[in-house]
Amino acid sequence: PEAVLARCARVVTDNGEAPLDPPRRTALLGLADRLAAEGFRILDTATIAGAFVLTDSIGLGAIAAGGGSCGGAGGYSDIGPSTPVTVANDRGEVLTTTSLGQGKGDAAQCMFSFSFPVTEGQDRYVVSVGSRGQFTYTFGQLIAHGVQIRLGH
């Protein structure tokens, strides 16, 4: 609870939104302690930023680029703004989905940004971009580093 409250500046009350001042913060921490004594946990939720970078450093035509936008070509033609990003737990249950954003770059490097919401509580979070493999993270790793995936040569 302390880590979550440390990132908060406002709270919603019965009377609307209000500043999260020291008395309210203390009251919320006390409530969290009482709930924890009953076996409850406060789960952190965050929006995780990700980047998928496609590289073609030797000029094999793996990236189609023009006007600052880009996408995969040839054997990488499945990589583009509509490529699905799936986040599942280690049991294969899908937690959330999104897609890659518009590619930005040139014929040597194309970067796609994406983001997704995630709530702690899973042992592992498995991120897959299209059919390009699975990448496993803990909640702490996602919070600290986001998702950074590179593909190409």
Side-chain angles (χ1 to χ4, degrees), residues 10-27:
R10 304 194 60 75
V11 64
V12 176
T13 70
D14 291 338
N15 299 321
E17 200 172 290
L20 184 56
D21 56 18
R24 284 190 176 102
R25 190 175 303 274
T26 300

Side-chain angles (χ1 to χ4, degrees), residues 41 88-91 95 119-126 136-142:
R41 283 187 57 213
N89 61 21
D90 54 359
R91 294 178 303 282
L95 303 173
T119 300
E120 74 175 317
Q122 304 295 326
D123 290 332
R124 297 279 182 259
Y125 298 82
V126 182
T136 303
Y137 303 88
T138 65
F139 185 77
Q141 289 170 326
L142 289 172

Side-chain angles (χ1 to χ4, degrees), residues 25-92:
R25 190 175 303 274
T26 300
L28 286 172
L29 287 171
L31 174 61
D33 288 343
R34 288 190 301 280
L35 290 172
E38 295 177 29
F40 291 94
R41 283 187 57 213
I42 294 177
L43 299 178
D44 197 0
T45 298
T47 298
I48 305 301
F52 185 94
V53 180
L54 182 60
T55 59
D56 183 5
S57 59
I58 55 177
L60 296 177
I63 299 173
S69 65
C70 53
Y76 298 106
S77 61
D78 60 314
I79 304 298
S82 61
T83 301
V85 177
T86 304
V87 182
N89 61 21
D90 54 359
R91 294 178 303 282

